[in-house]
Amino acid sequence: MTARFIVLYETPADPAAFDRHYRDVHLPLVRRLPGLRRYTLGRDAVAVRGGEPYYLVAELEWDTMEELRAAFASSAGRANAADSARLQELTPVRSMMYTVDESVL
């Protein structure tokens, strides 16, 4: 079973400023998270049943929920949280953690 952290970013008022900050500041912080197994970014996510599209979707993966929680409790995790507050000044952000049960199907 794996653990994932997903972040949904709404369209920023200034996409160029958001992209610059995300690329130059946030991504280097994310890469320092301990135990991070996989990191993906998706763009132009459209809601199937209407609603506004998300500008950016980030999905981070760890082997276990304990490792995910430990990563965000670390100094690198605290730096990510502090920078996430800056990103929330640029655009609304939603996030969640969950476990993946791949044996369902």
Side-chain angles (χ1 to χ4, degrees):
M1 195 170 301
T2 59
R4 292 189 182 148
F5 184 80
I6 189 169
V7 187
L8 306 166
Y9 298 94
E10 293 184 19
T11 302
D14 185 348
F18 175 87
D19 287 345
R20 188 172 38 258
H21 183 89
Y22 198 89
R23 180 188 63 243
D24 297 342
V25 178
H26 199 69
L27 277 178
L29 292 172
V30 170
R31 288 185 180 116
R32 293 187 0 221
L33 288 168
L36 181 63
R37 188 169 84 176
R38 191 175 127 217
Y39 182 75
T40 60
L41 289 175
R43 293 205 178 258
D44 304 317
V46 179
V48 174
R49 301 210 190 293
E52 294 296 315
Y54 287 105
Y55 181 75
L56 187 69
V57 177
E59 193 170 15
L60 296 79
E61 185 176 282
W62 282 263
D63 289 330
T64 66
M65 183 60 75
E66 292 76 22
E67 288 180 9
L68 186 160
R69 291 179 192 279
F72 282 102
S74 71
S75 60
R78 290 189 300 278
N80 269 275
D83 190 58
S84 291
R86 170 65 181 130
L87 288 172
Q88 288 183 11
E89 294 172 4
L90 299 172
T91 192
V93 179
R94 298 175 190 266
S95 61
M96 65 190 85
M97 299 183 296
Y98 58 97
T99 56
V100 178
D101 184 354
E102 298 172 1
S103 64
V104 175
L105 295 178

